[in-house]
């Protein structure tokens, strides 16, 4: 309702250009064109309408008392009795609208009863006119007074008032025209007088209706403004209460917090307030708190300047660590967090401190331990590399001399057992040399000294060479080695010796851990990501949690001294490192008791023909 009233007030308040819109807001009678707004106006002004109707009841007493004049004119006649009864009946009829329909707010019935009452009153007056008790001019003046009373005294709707008054005027002229000796001119003048009276009365009521409704809209608009103002005041009071509660909660948390907290003026850097933990940390008395410059707690001059520049309007500090001077001159490391807050309506910096001296010391100790471990690992790698070089020279001599004895290059040895000893020496020397070569390669990789000698290499040739080297050992265990390579053959950019070493180590492991009479399969497939080489066996397998251990140097899954399979644990780690040097990745998928698959994934850039070759192979 208030929204509609505001819209109407806005329409009424427009300039002359908006006049048609204003006219459309009202009917000819001055009532609102919008029924909902008109209903609201009637409801708001209903009490006033009832009071005005009750005022008619006092006027009707005068109308009823006019019976005395009738008696003087007509005397104690039947006509007088009829007129007196008619006038007296108007008194209870005047109570019908208020008592029967007013309290129940039955608008239609109320206005209908008012209209009927008006018609009745004028009907009684017409009986007097018809009796001819007074002069025509006096009757005309009385009719005009009654019509004005209808318009200005009875709170009926204008269209009903106009209807009753016009009908009453026509009826009065018809009765008056029956008078003998009354000229047509006189009748026309009386009719004109009454029509002007009707027009003036209707126009006055029309203007009054619009003024009253304008006032109603203004009151509704003011009421809405008052409601909005009251709502805003309530919201503001609630916000003030929330701010007060928030500040009280903040103060409670601030004081009771175990961490040192302080509020600092961002302009002067003076401490506005500090909790007990902050006062104890820096030995700051309560009486000196407000004059204490927060920048004095920093041990480094550059941090004092930085803190000042940042809080003076530069980028706000979030979190940083700095050295602080605590009570007694002790230097500590603290993590400092700042946030701009409003305290008692004034901007302040909330600074929180956390002593991280112990963590800093632990971090420094860990850094030193890491550096020591790195140095130790580097020394170990360099030692292994140097020792490998030192051991290879005598081993080569041992292998050479044992091979000469075994083959009897310079004549018969004599006793056949010497030849067996020479063969054992040769095999042991070869095994030890292979071990030293693996250690040397792994040491070079860890030390960053291993260099790839990349060139175009044929995948089929590398695979065949690796299988040929391992085949003797596989034949001893009756293990079959199968290959499934792409067609046409692939060429790679790789270090042929390193890639061959990868395959030798993987195939050797597959043969070593396969069951007798098993099968080891080497597959190669071209995918969108590049080349994938898979070495598959159906042997004892590896548990998922033991795979990282299998990829660690000098470690075997079976770590007991009585382990079943020999080896130093360098095969898989060396293969992994050599694969990564080729920008590839080595992964192991294994199920205990079912077998192991080792994948070597090389990027597409390693293929000689690049992506075109990949597309051709995939299409094939």
């Amino acid at each position: 309702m208030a929204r509609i009233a505001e819209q109407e007030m806005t329409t009424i308040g427009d300039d002359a250009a908006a006049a048609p819109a204003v006219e459309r807001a009202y009917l000819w009678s001055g009532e609102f064109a919008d029924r909902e707004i008109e209903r609201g106006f009637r409801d708001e002004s209903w009490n006033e309408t009832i009071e005005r109707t009750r005022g008619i009841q006092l006027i009707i007493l005068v109308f009823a008392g006019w019976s005395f004049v009738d008696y003087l004119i007509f005397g104690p006649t039947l006509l007088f009795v009829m007129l007196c009864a008619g006038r007296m009946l108007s008194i209870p009829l005047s109570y019908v609208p208020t008592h029967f329909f007013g309290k129940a707010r039955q608008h239609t019935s109320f206005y209908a009863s008012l209209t009927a009452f008006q018609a009745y009153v004028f009907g009684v007056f017409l009986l007097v006119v018809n009796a001819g008790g007074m002069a025509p001019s006096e009757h005309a003046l009385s009719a005009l007074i009654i019509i004005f009373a209808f318009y200005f005294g009875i709170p009926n709707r204008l269209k009903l008032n106009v209807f009753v008054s016009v009908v009453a005027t026509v009826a009065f002229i018809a009765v008056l025209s029956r008078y003998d000796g009354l000229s047509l001119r006189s009748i026309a003048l009386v009719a004109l007088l009454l029509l002007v009276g009707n027009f003036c009365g209707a126009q006055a009521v029309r203007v009054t209706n619009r003024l009253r409704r304008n006032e109603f809209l203004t009151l509704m608009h003011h009421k809405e403004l008052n409601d909005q103002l009251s709502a805003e005041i309530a919201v503001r009071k609630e916000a003030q209460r929330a701010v007060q509660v928030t500040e009280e909660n903040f103060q409670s948390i601030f004081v009771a917090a175990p961490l040192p907290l302080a509020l600092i003026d961002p302009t002067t850097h003076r401490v506005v307030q500090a909790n007990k933990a902050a006062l104890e940390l820096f030995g700051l008395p309560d009486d000196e708190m407000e004059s204490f410059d927060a920048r004095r707690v920093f041990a480094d001059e550059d941090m004092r300047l930085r803190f000042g520049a940042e809080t003076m309007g530069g980028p706000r500090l979030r979190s940083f660590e700095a050295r602080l001077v605590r009570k007694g001159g002790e230097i500590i490391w603290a993590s400092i967090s700042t946030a701009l807050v409003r305290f008692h309506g004034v901007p302040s910096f909330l600074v929180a401190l956390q002593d991280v001296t112990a963590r800093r010391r632990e971090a420094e100790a860990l850094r030193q331990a890491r550096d020591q471990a790195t140095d130790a690992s580097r020394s170990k790698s360099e030692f292994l590399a140097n020792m490998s070089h030192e051991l290879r020279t005598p081993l080569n001599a041992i292998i050479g001399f044992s091979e000469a004895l075994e083959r009897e290059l310079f004549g018969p040895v004599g006793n056949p057992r010497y030849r067996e000893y020479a063969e054992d020496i040769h095999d042991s020397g070869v095994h030890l040399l292979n071990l030293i070569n693996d250690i040397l390669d792994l040491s070079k990789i860890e030390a960053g000294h291993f260099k790839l000698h990349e060139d175009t290499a044929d995948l089929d040739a590398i695979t065949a060479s690796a299988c040929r080297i391992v085949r003797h050992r596989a034949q001893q265990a009756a293990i079959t080695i199968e290959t499934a390579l792409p067609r046409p053959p692939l060429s790679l950019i790789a270090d042929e010796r390193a890639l061959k070493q990868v395959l030798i180590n993987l195939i050797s492991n597959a043969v070593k851990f396969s069951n007798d009479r098993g099968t080891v399969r080497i597959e190669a497939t071209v995918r969108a990501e590049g080349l994938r080489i898979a070495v598959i066996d159906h042997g004892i397998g590896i548990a998922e949690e033991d795979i990282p251990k299998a990829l660690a140097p000098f470690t075997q899954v079976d770590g007991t001294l009585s382990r079943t399979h020999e080896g130093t644990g360098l095969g898989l780690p060396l293969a992994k490192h050599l694969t990564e040097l080729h920008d590839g990745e080595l992964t192991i998928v294994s199920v205990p008791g079912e077998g192991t698959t080792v994948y070597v994934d090389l990027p597409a850039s390693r293929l000689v023909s690049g992506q075109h070759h990949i597309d051709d192979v995939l299409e094939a």
Side-chain angles (χ1 to χ4, degrees), residues 158-329:
L158 180 58
K159 63 181 183 180
L160 297 177
N161 261 335
V162 170
F163 173 75
V164 172
S165 299
V166 170
V167 171
T169 299
V170 172
F172 176 76
I173 296 298
V175 173
L176 192 65
S177 62
R178 297 173 58 187
Y179 273 46
D180 296 333
L182 190 64
S183 65
L184 183 62
R185 178 181 177 183
S186 299
I187 295 174
L189 288 175
V190 172
L192 180 61
L193 176 65
L194 294 180
L195 288 177
V196 171
N198 275 287
F199 177 78
C200 293
Q203 184 65 16
V205 173
R206 177 176 176 273
V207 173
T208 302
N209 284 344
R210 291 195 59 169
L211 290 176
R212 293 181 65 215
R213 282 160 176 79
N214 285 344
E215 182 181 2
F216 166 73
L217 293 178
T218 302
L219 291 175
M220 290 297 100
H221 181 61
H222 288 169
K223 181 180 179 181
E224 182 178 8
L225 292 179
N226 289 334
D227 292 341
Q228 291 179 353
L229 182 60
S230 300
E232 291 178 0
I233 293 174
V235 171
R236 182 164 296 183
K237 288 182 178 180
E238 183 64 27
Q240 290 177 349
R241 286 195 295 268
V243 169
Q244 183 178 1
V245 172
T246 301
E247 288 191 354
E248 291 175 355
N249 293 338
F250 171 79
Q251 189 71 12
S252 301
I253 296 172
F254 183 88
V255 173
L259 292 178
L261 298 176
L263 287 169
I264 298 174
D265 189 324
T267 304
T268 63
H269 305 101
R270 302 292 178 181
V271 176
V272 178
Q273 188 175 0
N275 65 352
K276 182 178 179 181
L279 296 176
E280 292 178 351
L281 179 64
F282 299 106
L284 184 63
D286 291 339
D287 54 354
E288 297 181 8
M289 179 183 65
E290 295 184 358
S291 61
F292 185 79
D293 192 334
R295 292 172 293 186
R296 290 167 49 187
V297 301
F298 290 100
D300 301 325
E301 183 65 24
D302 61 332
M303 285 305 304
R304 298 178 187 174
L305 298 176
R306 178 189 172 197
F307 184 78
E310 296 285 356
T311 56
M312 282 294 289
R316 187 179 61 175
L317 291 173
R318 294 290 184 180
S319 180
F320 63 97
E321 293 186 0
R323 296 195 311 152
L324 305 181
V325 181
R326 63 172 299 170
K327 180 175 63 176

Side-chain angles (χ1 to χ4, degrees), residues 485-520:
L485 303 178
R487 289 293 177 267
L490 293 180
S491 295
L492 308 173
I493 301 297
D495 186 326
E496 183 174 351
R497 188 190 70 85
L499 190 56
K500 184 190 299 184
Q501 185 67 49
V502 171
L503 291 179
I504 290 173
N505 290 357
L506 296 182
I507 298 172
S508 297
N509 269 4
V511 170
K512 182 192 304 183
F513 296 106
S514 291
N515 299 320
D516 290 347
R517 302 184 182 280
T519 301
V520 173

Side-chain angles (χ1 to χ4, degrees), residues 433-545:
L433 181 61
N434 291 334
L435 174 61
I436 292 173
N437 286 333
D438 288 346
I439 294 174
L440 180 59
D441 289 342
L442 190 61
S443 300
K444 286 181 179 180
I445 292 173
E446 291 182 348
H449 297 156
F450 192 94
K451 302 297 182 183
L452 293 179
H453 300 284
E454 298 180 338
D455 199 354
T456 303
D458 184 69
L459 179 61
D460 287 14
I462 295 174
T463 305
S465 178
C467 291
R468 188 166 50 251
I469 293 174
V470 184
R471 194 174 302 278
H472 176 70
R473 183 169 185 175
Q475 289 175 349
Q476 291 179 344
I479 294 175
T480 302
I481 299 178
E482 299 177 351
T483 59
L485 303 178
R487 289 293 177 267
L490 293 180
S491 295
L492 308 173
I493 301 297
D495 186 326
E496 183 174 351
R497 188 190 70 85
L499 190 56
K500 184 190 299 184
Q501 185 67 49
V502 171
L503 291 179
I504 290 173
N505 290 357
L506 296 182
I507 298 172
S508 297
N509 269 4
V511 170
K512 182 192 304 183
F513 296 106
S514 291
N515 299 320
D516 290 347
R517 302 184 182 280
T519 301
V520 173
R521 184 176 178 83
I522 301 97
E523 295 180 351
T525 55
V526 177
R527 307 184 304 164
E529 298 83 0
L531 175 65
R532 164 166 282 190
I533 303 173
V535 179
I536 307 168
D537 69 69
H538 303 284
I540 61 175
I542 310 172
E544 183 177 358
E545 62 271 15

